[in-house]
Amino acid sequence: MATALRIDNLHKSFKTGFLLQKKTILKGISLHVDQGEIFGYLGPNGAGKTTTIKCVMGLIFPEDGDIKLFDLPHLSLKAKERVGFLPENPYFYDYLTASEFLRFYSQLFVIPELEKEKRIEDILQLVDMKKARNLQLRKFSRGMLQRIGLAQALLNNPDIVILDEPLGGLDPLGRKEIRDILVRLREEGKTVFLSSHILQDIEMICDRVAIIVNGEIVNQGYLQELISERILFTEIIISGLGKSDLEELGESLSTPGGKILLKIHDEKKINSVFRLIQDRGGKIHSLTPRTETLEDLFVGMVKKK
Amino acid sequence: MKIKAIALNTFREAIRDRVLYLLLFFALASLLFSRLLALLTVGDRVKIVTDVGLAAISLFGALMAILMGTGLVFKEIDKKTIYTLLSKPIHRHQFLLGKYFGLVLTLFVMLFLMTVIFFVIYFLHALKIEWSMLIALFYIFLELCLITAVALFFSCFSTPILSSIFSLAFYLIGHLSWGLETLFKKMSPGIGKVTARILYTFLPDLENFNFKTEIVHHLPIPPQILFFSTIYGISYTVFVLFLAVLVFRKRDFI
């Protein structure tokens, strides 16, 4: 599959403080994003996600390393024509209305004059902002700004969309809407690169992920390959039994309503639990096997680092 | 085309800024004040109106250029609007030039408004229009273009307050540096003379754009001086803009 974005051995450090001490942020990042996939870029705060994205967008200059967009140098205008970008906590010209803002940005691309207005209409429809078109951006809520931010990123009908924390600060409904738009973009054959620390969202929509910790990629690959199908433990909610009866079988916790939550790490012990419940006349309310999640993988990686 | 889009947006930003109207109000108040001063003067009252009027336009124009020019790029970086703008297919110098021309357009419009009011006041006083004043106004505009470039240059790497102080210093030094020229001409040869000469060569001389006295007193202005001032203004502005682009091209937006 053709590569949309390729980053090779990216290094970046900043000089901070009065004595201009060197602080290394990126220590040799290498990754590639294939065309037509949603790629998740994960990492704790301060790991270097935004710095990587800023390097790709040409907002900061790396000390070493190479960045290619569709095999073109990332700073070339040809490459930029094919990219859409939404920064973290976007803020736009608050004295402009939504449609003035999109019209201004549309002039920075090579879009035929006749097509511009139609494109703006379509985009406003896509992000459900048609009713706010004549409202100044200063009156926008956080969710609305995020949507208009996504609108400006999609204005040029880009082949790759790069989004820095696009789901941060949104309510569950807003997050779902943005997720749906991203999935639709993938269906249209576009590539999506997004950074986030909201792992459930990444798990729901991403094909591949890379985990960055302390300026280094610690793991990358297809989600289903990274997360094992292995059952980590089984949670059973039981009533009619005492906590002391279950001590030897696993960790037990009292839950509201006099029920007990039993966490069993050894699968073989599950049958013993069933027998015990039958013998004592207890009741099983639920049984949930817990497989590894992206969160487990992420927490494990960060801790190990 | 891209520079034009950015310039027009900058113009829109500037004219929706309240600070501009505050300055415009004070400029107009000063123009009216010239009328009051004229009433209190014995002698040629028209000269007072012309002199105070042109000085007010020059001063408030410079204040507009400095206050807006220094905040222009900084605001984009501070509010992070520059992130999305520079991710579009534009070069960094296009962004900077767009900002510059947007501001020059704003200043042109402001200068035009002030000129119209000034001419009305002048007409009420003298019952005629002195078109030669347009020469002085043209060179005021040229000076404002240079000051804008300087303000933009400082705002590429400094905060608005510091940039304003630097630009104001540039304006003041520029209007006083002619003293250095007089000094080195009168000094006896030596290190002092050479130092004064070098300083004068590098410091701006904004008095090159000041034709107020000649216009007020109807003195002849040799065409070669006008030509020299135009070339001086344009080349100094281009040089400062070039420096600004050099600084801006390699800047990291953290």
Side-chain angles (χ1 to χ4, degrees), chain A residues 88-114:
Chain A
E88 189 181 6
N89 300 328
Y91 187 90
F92 304 108
Y93 305 95
D94 56 9
Y95 53 90
L96 296 180
T97 65
S99 47
E100 276 176 340
F101 168 65
L102 292 179
R103 208 166 294 133
F104 166 41
Y105 270 19
S106 72
Q107 287 163 352
L108 303 175
F109 293 105
V110 188
I111 304 175
E113 206 56 42
L114 289 171

Side-chain angles (χ1 to χ4, degrees), chain B residues 4-244:
Chain B
K4 189 177 141 200
I6 295 170
L8 288 178
N9 188 54
T10 306
F11 176 68
R12 199 176 319 171
E13 178 182 359
I15 56 166
R16 288 183 192 181
D17 193 346
R18 286 188 196 114
V19 178
L20 185 69
Y21 295 101
L22 195 69
L23 285 171
L24 190 64
F25 169 77
F26 279 112
L28 299 182
S30 306
L31 288 174
L32 289 172
F33 182 63
S34 70
R35 163 100 179 124
L36 190 71
L37 274 184
L39 291 176
L40 296 171
T41 311
V42 182
D44 194 347
R45 290 173 171 181
V46 177
K47 277 185 182 148
I48 294 291
V49 173
T50 321
D51 206 12
V52 176
L54 286 174
I57 290 176
S58 169
L59 180 70
F60 283 99
L63 282 179
M64 282 176 192
I66 290 171
L67 288 178
M68 289 192 298
T70 52
L72 218 60
V73 175
F74 180 83
K75 222 174 2 179
E76 293 259 3
I77 300 169
D78 191 42
K79 292 192 169 179
K80 296 177 181 172
T81 44
I82 200 163
Y83 289 2
T84 44
L85 200 58
L86 288 186
S87 71
K88 304 282 177 265
I90 59 166
H91 291 295
R92 285 192 176 190
H93 70 264
Q94 287 177 315
F95 166 79
L96 210 58
L97 291 179
K99 286 268 143 196
Y100 176 73
F101 288 121
L103 200 52
V104 166
L105 178 65
T106 314
L107 287 171
F108 180 78
V109 172
M110 290 299 133
L111 199 64
F112 179 77
L113 282 177
M114 288 192 282
T115 303
V116 170
I117 304 285
F118 172 53
F119 275 17
V120 169
I121 292 171
Y122 185 90
F123 182 78
L124 290 178
H125 212 90
L127 297 174
K128 61 169 181 162
I129 292 288
E130 190 70 65
W131 293 107
S132 66
M133 282 191 298
L134 285 176
I135 297 176
L137 286 162
F138 172 74
Y139 285 95
I140 287 174
F141 178 63
L142 219 53
E143 181 184 345
L144 294 186
C145 290
L146 173 56
I147 292 169
T148 308
V150 171
L152 196 68
F153 166 69
F154 286 126
S155 97
C156 285
F157 58 86
S158 181
T159 60
I161 293 178
L162 274 180
S163 307
S164 300
I165 294 172
F166 293 152
S167 309
L168 214 56
F170 178 90
Y171 180 72
L172 292 176
I173 291 169
H175 278 289
L176 298 172
S177 63
W178 61 271
L180 274 173
E181 191 188 15
T182 321
L183 184 69
F184 78 71
K185 275 181 184 159
K186 292 197 171 169
M187 275 173 108
S188 48
I191 297 173
K193 189 179 172 103
V194 175
T195 315
R197 189 169 195 125
I198 291 172
L199 266 178
Y200 179 72
T201 311
F202 286 100
L203 289 176
D205 185 357
L206 299 180
E207 283 298 308
N208 281 329
F209 307 114
N210 186 0
F211 293 104
K212 291 191 242 351
T213 317
E214 287 83 345
I215 298 297
V216 171
H217 297 282
H218 303 290
L219 302 174
I221 310 169
Q224 63 267 35
I225 294 216
L226 290 179
F227 179 72
F228 168 76
S229 291
T230 312
I231 296 296
Y232 181 79
I234 292 171
S235 37
Y236 213 122
T237 306
V238 170
F239 173 67
V240 175
L241 281 178
F242 176 70
L243 286 185

Side-chain angles (χ1 to χ4, degrees), chain A residues 14-15 30 84 132 188 217 220 233 255:
Chain A
F14 293 115
K15 289 191 174 120
S30 295
E188 288 171 17
I217 301 271
Q220 65 173 312
F233 56 85
T255 63

Side-chain angles (χ1 to χ4, degrees), chain A residues 17-289:
Chain A
F18 185 71
L19 297 172
L20 295 177
Q21 276 179 328
K22 200 169 162 182
K23 193 178 173 212
T24 309
I25 308 289
L26 302 179
K27 303 166 186 165
I29 299 287
S30 295
L31 58 87
H32 72 276
V33 180
D34 291 330
Q35 280 188 36
E37 70 176 355
I38 301 185
F39 189 94
Y41 195 41
L42 310 179
N45 289 333
K49 298 189 295 285
T50 300
T51 307
T52 313
I53 290 179
K54 281 185 181 172
C55 284
V56 173
M57 297 319 304
L59 295 169
I60 54 180
F61 297 97
E63 277 143 21
D64 198 12
D66 189 40
I67 304 168
K68 288 262 162 48
L69 282 159
F70 304 101
D71 291 326
L72 294 163
H74 69 300
L75 293 179
S76 72
L77 296 192
K78 265 193 172 166
K80 281 180 164 186
E81 284 278 355
R82 300 174 67 179
V83 182
F85 170 54
L86 173 66
E88 189 181 6
N89 300 328
Y91 187 90
F92 304 108
Y93 305 95
D94 56 9
Y95 53 90
L96 296 180
T97 65
S99 47
E100 276 176 340
F101 168 65
L102 292 179
R103 208 166 294 133
F104 166 41
Y105 270 19
S106 72
Q107 287 163 352
L108 303 175
F109 293 105
V110 188
I111 304 175
E113 206 56 42
L114 289 171
E115 214 181 289
K116 265 181 201 162
E117 288 303 314
K118 191 184 172 301
R119 184 83 63 90
I120 290 169
E121 282 302 305
D122 292 349
I123 294 279
L124 283 172
Q125 172 88 40
L126 179 73
V127 296
D128 194 20
M129 290 294 287
K130 267 195 152 172
K131 51 191 180 296
R133 59 191 312 155
N134 292 323
L135 201 63
Q136 275 191 327
L137 298 189
R138 72 177 79 217
K139 290 170 189 151
F140 273 33
S141 70
R142 176 122 175 66
M144 288 161 87
L145 274 179
Q146 202 78 7
R147 281 177 211 207
I148 207 73
L150 194 60
Q152 63 81 28
L154 299 175
L155 202 55
N156 54 327
N157 196 16
D159 293 320
I160 182 169
V161 192
I162 297 176
L163 313 153
D164 194 2
E165 301 282 356
L167 304 156
L170 293 179
D171 58 26
L173 197 68
R175 269 165 47 194
K176 188 188 174 316
E177 281 171 4
I178 301 271
R179 273 199 319 258
D180 289 347
I181 293 176
L182 298 184
V183 171
R184 204 181 317 161
L185 289 175
R186 176 175 56 190
E187 283 164 9
E188 288 171 17
K190 298 188 191 311
T191 313
V192 179
F193 178 92
L194 76 150
S195 82
S196 185
H197 47 233
I198 304 177
L199 299 169
Q200 297 98 308
D201 292 312
I202 293 269
E203 208 167 358
M204 263 186 242
I205 58 172
C206 288
D207 302 301
R208 282 198 315 133
V209 295
I211 300 176
I212 174 176
V213 183
N214 259 338
E216 287 173 88
I217 301 271
V218 289
N219 211 339
Q220 65 173 312
Y222 286 97
L223 254 183
Q224 59 265 41
E225 283 172 12
L226 292 179
I227 304 167
S228 64
E229 299 271 311
R230 185 171 64 91
I231 293 169
L232 294 175
F233 56 85
T234 308
E235 283 178 348
I236 310 178
I237 296 180
I238 307 162
S239 65
L241 264 80
K243 239 173 133 179
S244 53
D245 302 326
L246 301 163
E247 254 170 21
E248 285 182 8
L249 296 164
E251 293 170 48
S252 56
L253 281 169
S254 299
T255 63
K259 292 171 190 158
I260 295 169
L261 170 75
L262 185 65
K263 209 168 159 185
I264 303 169
H265 289 276
D266 185 358
E267 263 182 80
K268 289 170 198 152
K269 285 186 179 170
I270 293 176
N271 285 333
S272 318
V273 176
F274 286 165
R275 272 197 298 275
L276 188 72
I277 292 167
Q278 258 182 338
D279 294 347
R280 302 278 175 91
K283 193 176 170 192
I284 298 177
H285 293 272
S286 74
L287 187 144
T288 325

